[in-house]
Structure formats: C-alpha cells, structure tokens
C-alpha cells in the first residue's frame, strides 16, 4: 500500500491526543497544522496525499485546485456536516469522505442540557450562589412533563433527542423531509407539518442539516407562527437561524429563550480564546448579552466516546481508500440529492 501522509488542519490539542492514540494501530504519517484550511494555507498540504479537515475549514474550488496540484487524492472530513465543501469542484478529482455519525448521543444530550439549563436557569443560579446570593427570584422554570417539544430533523441526532424528551413525558412533534413512520409508531412521536410544529411547541430543537431548503428556516415569518415565549435550541448549523431576526424576537419576548451551540458567523470565533480581546461582531455580542440565551462553542460533539469514534472512522475511511475498498462514507453533490449512482467499486466516481 502506498505510504499514507496526512495534512491535518485546524488541529486542537484534543484532536492530536485522540488521533495519535488511534494512529498507533495504523501507523500513518500525520502532520498537524493549527491553521485552518483556506486558499492561503492549502500550500501546507504539499508532500501529503490526504487532507483531514473539520467544520470551519474552507474547502472551496480554489482550495480544491490547490490540493489537487499538491497531489491530494482524498479529503477526510472528521465531522458529519459537509456544507463547507464545494462538491462540484471536487467531483472526479478528489474523493471526499466523512464521519456520518460519531455519537448522536453526544449532540442530543447537549441539546437537552441547553434546554434544562435555560428552563431552570442553572447557568444563572451558578453565578448567584458563588456570590453568596441564595435568592431564587427570577429563576422560575416549568415542568417539561406534559409540554410539547418540536424536533425538526429526525435523523440520528433528532431521534435520540426525541427519545430523551419522550422519557421526560413530553409530547414530541416532529418534522422531517423524509419522515420515519416506523420510528413514530415505536416512540409515540407525531410527524406534523412545520406550521403545526411551530404553533404547538413550547420548545423547538433543530437537528436537520444546512441545505438550500433549511437556510434561515427560523426567521421573522416562522417565528411569528410560534407560541409566545418559545424556547429555540440549535445544535445543527448556525445558518438555520437568521440571527438578527432571533434577536428581535428575544427583545420582544416572542422567543423566551435560546440555546445555541452553533452560530452563523461562528468560524471567526468558535474554538478560539478571545477573552483578552473585544468582540467586534455586534450580533454575537448582543446574543451574549441576553440572560436567557446560552451560547456554547460548537461543543455538542465533544465527548470522549465521540472523539474516539471520529478518530477511528476517519482513519478507517483513509485505509479503505488506499486499499481500494468500497468507500462507505464517501459523499458527493449527487449523494446530497440522493441521486448518486455509485460505481461498481463502491465509489462515487
Ligand atoms: P442525519 O443525516 O442522520 O439526519 C438529518 C435529518 O434531517 C434526516 O432525517 C433528513 O431527512 C432531515 N432533513 C433533511 N432536510 C430536511 C429539511 N429540509 N427539513 C427537515 N428535515 C430535513 O444527521 P444527524 O447526524 O442527525 O445530524 C444532524 C445535523 O446536526 C448535521 O447536519 C449537523 O449539521 C449537526 N451536527 C452538529 C454537531 C455539533 O457538535 N453541534 C455534531 C454533529 C452534527
């Protein structure tokens, strides 16, 4: 087998720790770069045949041109989402694989953690009691039991979230472009149209991918259809929500609270420490000023189990590519539209 040489972009210490440990079983050469993959940093891939990239790397047509010129044959995404890849530019030139699921539990549990914190205001209680303030005024929550949750997108993560919420005794309404009726029968989740979900849910949680159809799904018009004081949770992708519209609705109280693990412009801030500088993004700064908004920095996936699984599946994907095996986790622009006719080799092209 050809030597495998991986250029690993946007490396964090935890990436290196988990990949080095797992790579003991594969023995590939991995060069770790802190830099994100951009048209300027693509040059770092020289001498490698694989690029390993994450959610905020920019895999645009110019980047793909540069990677191809450097001899890159495979882009191994170490994430599930792939809205940052120009698949048309990559098709026929560089294969793209991903990690379709690493721990749906990690993300769904994080979504529910956001709900519980926002509802019972534990994020505020923490600061009060640390300051010896044992007053509970303003921390009033509601029983989730008997209330209605709306789950948008019932794939791997949405299903786990729906199950947890059913466990709380909530009514769960769901909307999905491809409903899973069997799942509905087994769990008592009810598929409804989006307007019904908006109208009836006390809590709405987003677990659909970012596509042309779901871009700014949550904006003025959809928010207007929701219950007053609705809680909105987004662990999907930032661009599912029009953030200025959300801010307006938070100001009027139409939206009662929001838990955001993702943000439209997150690539400029998330995963980095800005605690000694001033945030120049006024929209993010406004979001952070609300006591009823909890922002986390795209950490839904961040559990030990998920990191082990990400490292293992990524390195397996790379091994399968170089051993000319079927690429079960390959994705292309045709896969995205469910029109991909995989070759006999089990590859998209
Ligand atoms: P999945 O592919 O298993 O499920 C996505 C579901 O959304 C599918 O059932 C699909 O039919 C549905 N869907 C597609 N278009 C839709 C539309 N227009 N309206 C409603 N539903 C639609 O994906 P999975 O693993 O459940 O992940 C969901 C999303 O969560 C990912 O696309 C990614 O953006 C995000 N994610 C976030 C992470 C984090 O750390 N915060 C980590 C992993 C994923």
């Amino acid at each position: 087998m050809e030597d495998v040489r991986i250029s690993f972009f946007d490396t964090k210490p935890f990436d290196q720790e988990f990949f080095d440990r797992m790579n003991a079983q594969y023995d590939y050469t991995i060069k770790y770069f802190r830099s994100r993959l951009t048209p300027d940093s693509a040059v770092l891939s020289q001498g490698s045949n694989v690029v390993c990239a994450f959610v905020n790397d920019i895999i645009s047509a110019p980047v793909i041109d540069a990677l191809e010129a450097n001899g890159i044959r495979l882009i191994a995404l170490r994430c599930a989402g792939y809205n940052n890849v120009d698949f048309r530019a990559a098709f026929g030139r560089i294969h793209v694989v991903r990690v379709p699921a690493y721990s749906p539990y990690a993300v769904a549990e994080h979504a529910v953690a956001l709900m519980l914190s926002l509802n019972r205001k534990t994020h505020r209680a923490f600061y009060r009691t640390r300051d010896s303030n044992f007053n509970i005024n303003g921390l009033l929550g509601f029983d989730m039991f008997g209330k209605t949750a709306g789950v948008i997108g019932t794939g791997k993560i949405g299903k786990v979230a729906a199950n947890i919420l059913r466990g709380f005794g909530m009514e769960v309404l769901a909307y999905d472009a491809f409903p899973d009726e069997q799942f509905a029968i087994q769990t008592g989740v009810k598929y409804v149209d989006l307007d019904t979900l908006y109208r009836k849910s006390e809590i709405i949680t987003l677990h659909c991918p970012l596509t042309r159809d779901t871009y700014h799904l949550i904006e003025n018009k959809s928010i207007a259809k929701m219950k007053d004081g609705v809680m909105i949770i987004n662990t999907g992708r930032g661009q599912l929500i029009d953030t200025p519209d959300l801010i307006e609705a938070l100001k009027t109280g139409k939206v009662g609270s929001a838990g955001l693990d993702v943000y439209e412009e997150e690539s400029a801030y998330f995963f980095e420490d800005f605690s000694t500088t001033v945030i120049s993004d006024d929209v993010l700064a406004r979001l952070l000023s609300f006591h009823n908004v909890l922002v986390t920095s795209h950490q839904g996936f961040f559990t030990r189990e998920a990191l082990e699984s990400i490292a293992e599946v990524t390195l397996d994907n790379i091994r399968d590519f170089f051993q000319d095996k079927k690429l079960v986790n390959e994705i292309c622009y045709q896969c995205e539209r469910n029109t991909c006719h995989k070759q006999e080799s089990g590859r998209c092209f």
Side-chain angles (χ1 to χ4, degrees):
M1 192 175 86
E2 191 179 330
D3 269 0
V4 177
R5 301 176 306 278
I6 306 168
S7 281
F8 197 107
F9 284 87
D10 198 10
T11 310
K12 297 287 178 284
F14 52 83
D15 289 317
Q16 190 160 353
E17 181 193 332
F18 279 80
F19 270 82
D20 278 350
R21 201 180 306 143
M22 193 59 71
N23 191 37
Q25 298 167 38
Y26 300 77
D27 208 21
Y28 300 149
T29 303
I30 308 182
K31 269 205 248 169
Y32 292 101
F33 300 112
R34 286 199 58 203
S35 160
R36 287 193 182 153
L37 180 56
T38 65
D40 289 336
S41 67
V43 66
L44 294 170
S45 66
Q46 265 172 10
S48 297
N49 41 22
V50 180
V51 150
C52 184
F54 195 52
V55 287
N56 289 321
D57 289 310
I58 300 167
I59 309 172
S60 57
V63 167
I64 284 162
D65 292 345
L67 297 183
E68 189 184 36
N70 284 347
I72 298 299
R73 296 170 57 209
L74 179 70
I75 296 170
L77 299 173
R78 54 180 191 282
C79 50
Y82 43 75
N83 50 288
N84 53 337
V85 183
D86 185 333
F87 282 110
R88 280 191 185 272
F91 195 78
R93 299 163 72 196
I94 302 182
H95 291 268
V96 182
V97 287
R98 66 172 181 142
V99 182
Y102 21 96
S103 171
Y105 308 102
V107 185
E109 288 170 12
H110 189 70
V112 176
L114 292 173
M115 287 174 205
L116 290 167
S117 297
L118 285 167
N119 176 19
R120 305 308 299 271
K121 293 142 184 103
T122 41
H123 57 300
R124 304 186 66 202
F126 173 79
Y127 284 109
R128 284 199 192 179
T129 53
R130 293 215 134 194
D131 197 28
S132 308
N133 176 358
F134 301 102
N135 188 329
I136 61 170
N137 287 337
L139 304 185
L140 190 68
F142 58 85
D143 285 4
M144 286 168 71
F145 177 86
K147 300 292 186 310
T148 301
V151 177
I152 302 184
T154 52
K156 292 174 283 297
I157 297 170
K159 282 190 171 109
V160 175
N163 270 322
I164 297 172
L165 299 174
R166 288 291 292 151
F168 285 179
M170 296 189 82
E171 281 294 310
V172 177
L173 302 179
Y175 172 78
D176 195 293
F178 305 93
D180 181 343
E181 296 299 347
Q182 203 54 38
F183 169 73
I185 292 165
Q186 282 163 1
T187 56
V189 168
K190 261 190 237 137
Y191 279 103
V192 293
D193 58 44
L194 266 183
D195 282 2
T196 307
L197 184 148
Y198 291 149
R199 203 175 61 248
K200 294 198 166 168
S201 304
E202 270 91 16
I203 299 174
I204 294 176
T205 182
L206 307 178
H207 300 292
C208 54
L210 175 64
T211 64
R212 253 170 301 201
D213 293 337
T214 60
Y215 176 81
H216 284 183
L217 184 70
I218 305 301
E219 41 70 85
N220 275 334
K221 288 199 199 86
S222 47
I223 291 172
K225 295 173 185 167
M226 296 176 192
K227 280 197 174 196
D228 291 346
V230 62
M231 179 192 293
I232 297 178
I233 303 291
N234 188 9
T235 59
R237 282 290 178 268
Q239 287 159 312
L240 296 176
I241 297 184
D242 181 317
T243 319
D245 284 3
L246 175 68
I247 288 173
E248 280 314 305
L250 282 158
K251 280 159 71 179
T252 62
K254 174 73 189 176
V255 171
S257 56
L260 309 173
D261 187 47
V262 286
Y263 164 60
E264 291 194 77
E265 304 300 331
E266 69 178 50
S267 60
Y269 290 96
F270 281 21
F271 303 122
E272 306 298 337
D273 180 1
F274 288 89
S275 57
T276 55
T277 52
V278 168
I279 300 284
S280 56
D281 177 336
D282 289 347
V283 175
L284 178 60
R286 184 67 179 101
L287 273 182
L288 295 173
S289 74
F290 289 102
H291 64 74
N292 50 350
V293 172
L294 239 177
V295 175
T296 53
S297 187
H298 207 135
Q299 67 173 79
F301 73 99
F302 199 48
T303 63
R304 261 189 296 281
E305 291 77 5
L307 289 189
E308 273 163 14
S309 172
I310 287 170
E312 185 174 21
V313 176
T314 303
L315 295 175
D316 276 356
N317 285 340
I318 295 171
R319 180 202 56 209
D320 290 351
F321 177 79
F322 285 98
Q323 291 185 351
D324 291 325
K325 289 193 179 147
K326 243 170 120 166
L327 289 182
V328 284
N329 295 323
E330 181 168 24
I331 178 128
C332 71
Y333 70 97
Q334 290 167 327
C335 298
E336 264 190 296
R337 288 165 182 69
N338 291 322
T339 57
C340 184
H341 301 290
K342 294 231 155 101
Q343 309 295 302
E344 237 172 74
S345 60
R347 298 177 175 214
C348 294
F349 58 87

